[in-house]
Amino acid sequence: MLKSYSVTNIGMVRKLNQDYVYRSELPVGNLPNLFLVADGMGGHNAGDFAAKLAVTTIAELIADSDETDAEKLLDRSVSVANAVVFRSAEASPELAGMGTTIVAAVCDGDKLTVANVGDSRLYVVNKDGINQITRDHSWVEEMIRRGGIAREDARNHPDKNIITRAVGVGNSVRIDFFEHKIKEDDIILMCTDGLTNMLIDEEIQSVLLSERNIEEKAEELVRRANDNGGRDNISVILIQPFA
């Protein structure tokens, strides 16, 4: 039986939490479950508005759709959410330039379907390692792929927060999709960069493979990120597909 837990935290530095999470272990429309993490960007309260608007739009569209294919549902709903956020930004000067990352996941038996835009991430963790399924849409990630910088130098790069794709910043958006076969002992981690900029992969894996329950694991990740400086909002969804 699938089990999940989510937490979002303002961190130690920011005055506003611009992250937004959605978690449903129960069916949403024709999907068996739905999990969403968004990290908004924009001045004043525009970032949190963008994140919440995108996530609620996606969830509502999926709930009302007759489509049964997870990837098609995510593709359409994220694309529509992009248009909704973009139009809202155009209509209100105080929201100009807002946007948000999105990472979405659906577990159907042993099939994991993932969509992402931006640099929020999804990992699959087990005793064999920690595997980042999504690929960041960020300037630093592009530089790594081109060989311009080493991956170990990326965490402290001054431009690590510059993303190259986001929901709501243009008329259309390119969405990446991934399928992954999940195994009995896998733990799925969805998170914003407020976690991954504060903790290295090995520390994340150590927490997730500990004897704590799923709630304690998520809260421990947030605690450690804050102990390391908490320079951004921190959001985590943990999923045990075969708990």
Side-chain angles (χ1 to χ4, degrees), residues 204-219:
I204 293 171
Q205 182 187 16
S206 174
V207 171
L208 295 187
L209 295 184
S210 68
E211 294 300 316
R212 301 174 178 91
N213 63 38
I214 191 171
E215 295 88 353
E216 292 167 341
K217 290 175 182 179
E219 297 289 350

Side-chain angles (χ1 to χ4, degrees), residues 106-170:
V106 179
C107 299
D108 191 356
D110 64 354
K111 178 183 175 184
L112 173 66
T113 302
V114 183
N116 92 289
V117 179
D119 63 354
S120 296
R121 296 178 177 177
L122 184 145
Y123 294 85
V124 173
V125 182
N126 53 43
K127 59 181 173 52
D128 297 321
I130 175 168
N131 180 19
Q132 183 180 339
I133 303 301
T134 55
R135 292 191 304 171
D136 295 353
H137 302 135
S138 67
W139 185 87
V140 165
E141 184 65 25
E142 294 293 337
M143 290 295 293
I144 292 170
R145 290 176 198 165
R146 295 172 186 164
I149 59 172
R151 186 165 294 281
E152 54 268 25
D153 297 329
R155 181 180 303 276
N156 297 312
H157 196 282
D159 296 325
K160 67 178 183 297
N161 292 323
I162 299 175
I163 60 175
T164 55
R165 289 190 218 172
V167 170
V169 298

